[in-house]
Amino acid sequence: MKFKKIVMALMVALTFYGTFDVAATTEIASAKTTKVYKSNLSKANQKAKAWIAYHESRGSYTARNGRYVGKYQLSSSYLHGDYSKNNQEKAADHYVSARYGSWVNAKKHWKAYGWY
């Protein structure tokens, strides 16, 4: 917490002197602290995941249908208020792994019942 206050104070001070762009600094700082989620799926699972995303939301991270949110139309309770792309990807992989074991199995279920 102290570090954040120090950085903010420094940015304000430098802004007063016109030698620093606060907006750019904020973007750079947040980019460095944000971890990018990467799944290690087989090609078959990647294809099944993309197929489900297309059929659920046409691939849109901002799609909404009642309490279902995002690219994979997960219940908002699975996302815990974080609707970022990274969290949607991570939560979807976790959900499918726990419920179906793989995206290929989830796609089979979707084809049989119209949902996963």
Side-chain angles (χ1 to χ4, degrees):
M1 193 65 172
K2 283 184 178 181
F3 177 74
K4 191 173 182 179
K5 286 182 181 179
I6 292 169
V7 170
M8 289 302 290
L10 180 61
M11 288 178 3
V12 169
L14 290 172
T15 301
F16 269 150
Y17 295 104
T19 59
F20 211 70
D21 183 4
V22 175
T25 304
T26 305
E27 288 175 21
I28 292 168
S30 65
K32 288 182 180 179
T33 59
T34 303
K35 287 187 176 181
V36 176
Y37 174 75
K38 183 174 179 177
S39 62
N40 296 316
L41 298 174
S42 68
K43 287 191 179 195
N45 278 301
Q46 288 174 13
K47 284 184 177 183
K49 184 177 182 180
W51 187 93
I52 288 175
Y54 179 80
H55 286 82
E56 288 291 326
S57 68
R58 298 299 188 251
S60 172
Y61 286 105
T62 59
R64 289 199 165 229
N65 182 14
R67 66 185 182 119
Y68 300 102
V69 178
K71 187 173 182 175
Y72 304 100
Q73 290 295 283
L74 296 172
S75 171
S76 58
S77 64
Y78 283 105
L79 298 170
H80 305 289
D82 180 358
Y83 302 143
S84 68
K85 292 177 184 180
N86 277 340
N87 194 50
Q88 286 187 43
E89 295 292 336
K90 184 177 176 181
D93 282 347
H94 183 266
Y95 168 76
V96 165
S97 176
R99 185 171 178 113
Y100 302 103
S102 72
W103 282 96
V104 170
N105 292 340
K107 180 180 174 183
K108 288 177 188 175
H109 184 276
W110 199 104
K111 283 184 159 187
Y113 299 100
W115 60 274
Y116 78 111

